């Protein structure tokens, strides 16, 4: 029997020696922390401080989600970032789907060390998307976009209906986030499923075009659909993201040490 989805937020403290590393992690649209909980556990097990909030309107009912605005979702993740920033030496953002867009948005507006995103959404290809602001007045919801998972018997615990009003907010947030992408300078690691029935390659193309000042690493997932954090390639995401975060922090430390060495050499020459 499958356990009921756990929609509760998750928090862990930094452990171990060395620089204190934090990761703020976001779930996706109509989902909840349940969809990325094992990822949060893996990050915490690596010694990182983790903050994974339950975004407003999620984990309750689609009717409540319909009453929220995208700024509230961003605000919840930004609050989590600022909490980690006060106690860590390096803070990374991470997320799945819409959570990936929010992670990129934080990376564009805060001095993050890096970002890790899984099948990030940035473009809605549905031709009805531009009309959602009008459609929400006559159509309250549409069928769910949940459980695009190749692995059998897995339930991400997302809503059974998608509120049109919230989809309208999502589209607005995506457009505004794409506008901000050129501001990102920290390294970005992207995990992309080769088969994804929710987010099309248009989002990846928008990300490639927008990251004009940031290093981009794209990792293909051959055996997962959209909710890859609960699918066959989940372990690849967990171990790969930990390795990426450690590599970025190590490179930052080496760069800082090199800078100090150069300053010392310049001082001696003077």
């Amino acid at each position: 029997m499958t356990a009921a989805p756990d929609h509760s937020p998750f928090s862990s403290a930094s452990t171990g020696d060395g620089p204190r590393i934090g990761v703020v992690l976001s779930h996706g649209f109509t989902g909840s922390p349940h969809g990325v909980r094992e990822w949060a556990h893996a990050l915490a097990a690596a010694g990182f401080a983790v903050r994974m909030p339950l975004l407003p309107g999620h984990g309750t009912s689609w009717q409540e989600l319909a009453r929220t605005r995208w700024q509230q979702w961003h605000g919840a993740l930004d609050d989590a970032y600022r909490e980690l920033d006060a106690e860590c030496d390096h803070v990374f953002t991470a997320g799945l789907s819409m959570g990936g867009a929010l992670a990129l948005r934080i990376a564009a507006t805060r001095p993050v060390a890096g970002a890790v995103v899984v099948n990030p959404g940035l473009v809605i290809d549905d031709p009805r998307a531009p009309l959602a602001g009008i459609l929400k007045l006559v159509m309250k919801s549409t069928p769910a976009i949940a459980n695009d998972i190749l692995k059998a018997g897995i339930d991400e615990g997302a809503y059974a209906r998608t509120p049109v009003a919230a989809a309208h907010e999502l589209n607005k947030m995506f457009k505004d986030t794409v506008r901000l992408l050129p501001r990102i300078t920290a390294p970005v690691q992207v995990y992309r499923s080769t088969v994804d029935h929710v987010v099309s390659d248009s989002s990846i193309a928008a990300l490639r075009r927008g990251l004009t000042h940031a290093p981009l690493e794209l990792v293909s997932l051959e055996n997962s659909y959209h909710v890859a954090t609960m699918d066959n390639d989940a372990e690849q995401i967990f171990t790969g993201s930990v390795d990426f975060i450690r590599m970025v922090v190590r490179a930052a430390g080496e760069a800082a040490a090199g800078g100090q060495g150069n300053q010392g050499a310049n001082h001696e020459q003077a």
Side-chain angles (χ1 to χ4, degrees):
M1 183 177 180
T2 304
D6 182 357
H7 301 311
S8 63
F10 176 85
S11 176
S12 72
S14 176
T15 59
D17 301 325
R20 294 166 297 175
I21 300 171
V23 183
V24 57
L25 176 61
S26 178
H27 62 79
F29 182 63
T30 76
S32 80
H34 182 72
V36 289
R37 187 167 301 279
E38 292 305 313
W39 191 8
H41 288 168
L43 295 168
F48 307 152
V50 178
R51 296 294 184 275
M52 179 176 64
L54 172 63
L55 302 180
H58 292 79
T60 53
S61 68
W62 69 261
Q63 291 89 345
E64 182 173 341
L65 179 58
R67 295 190 288 270
T68 63
R69 298 293 178 264
W70 71 260
Q71 291 87 348
Q72 294 174 261
W73 311 333
H74 173 257
L77 202 66
D78 193 55
D79 287 345
Y81 166 83
R82 289 189 289 112
E83 183 179 331
L84 282 179
D85 188 49
E87 61 185 63
C88 293
D89 302 304
H90 307 273
V91 181
F92 292 76
T93 58
L96 165 69
S97 193
M98 177 191 78
L102 289 173
L104 291 167
R105 189 177 183 82
I106 300 296
T109 55
R110 298 289 187 183
V112 306
V116 183
V117 294
V118 179
N119 293 322
L122 289 168
V123 176
I124 299 178
D125 292 319
D126 191 324
R128 297 172 297 176
L131 304 175
I134 298 174
L135 290 175
K136 69 179 183 180
L137 303 176
V138 295
M139 181 190 302
K140 298 301 181 184
S141 68
T142 59
I145 57 173
N147 289 331
D148 188 35
I149 302 172
L150 177 60
K151 190 176 182 179
I154 304 299
D155 180 10
E156 68 170 309
Y159 291 148
R161 303 288 296 179
T162 300
V164 175
H168 179 50
E169 292 296 315
L170 181 69
N171 192 41
K172 290 191 292 184
M173 190 270 282
F174 280 176
K175 288 183 177 180
D176 197 59
T177 300
V178 168
R179 178 183 64 85
L180 297 176
L181 291 177
R183 297 186 186 181
I184 300 175
T185 57
V188 177
Q189 184 183 54
V190 180
Y191 289 91
R192 176 60 175 159
S193 297
T194 54
V195 178
D196 185 334
H197 304 99
V198 177
V199 169
S200 77
D201 287 336
S202 298
S203 289
I204 303 302
L207 182 59
R208 286 183 180 275
R209 288 193 302 269
L211 290 184
T212 54
H213 300 97
L216 172 63
E217 177 188 356
L218 186 62
V219 181
S220 294
L221 303 176
E222 304 291 339
N223 200 26
S224 296
Y225 291 163
H226 181 65
V227 191
T229 50
M230 299 184 77
D231 216 326
N232 295 307
D233 296 309
E235 192 59 35
Q236 181 182 350
I237 296 170
F238 303 161
T239 58
S241 59
V242 168
D243 290 344
F244 171 78
I245 289 169
R246 287 175 172 161
M247 178 191 69
V248 170
V249 170
R250 183 169 59 250
E254 292 171 353
Q260 291 174 354
N262 290 336
Q263 289 175 356
N266 292 336
H267 179 71
E268 289 174 4
Q269 290 172 359

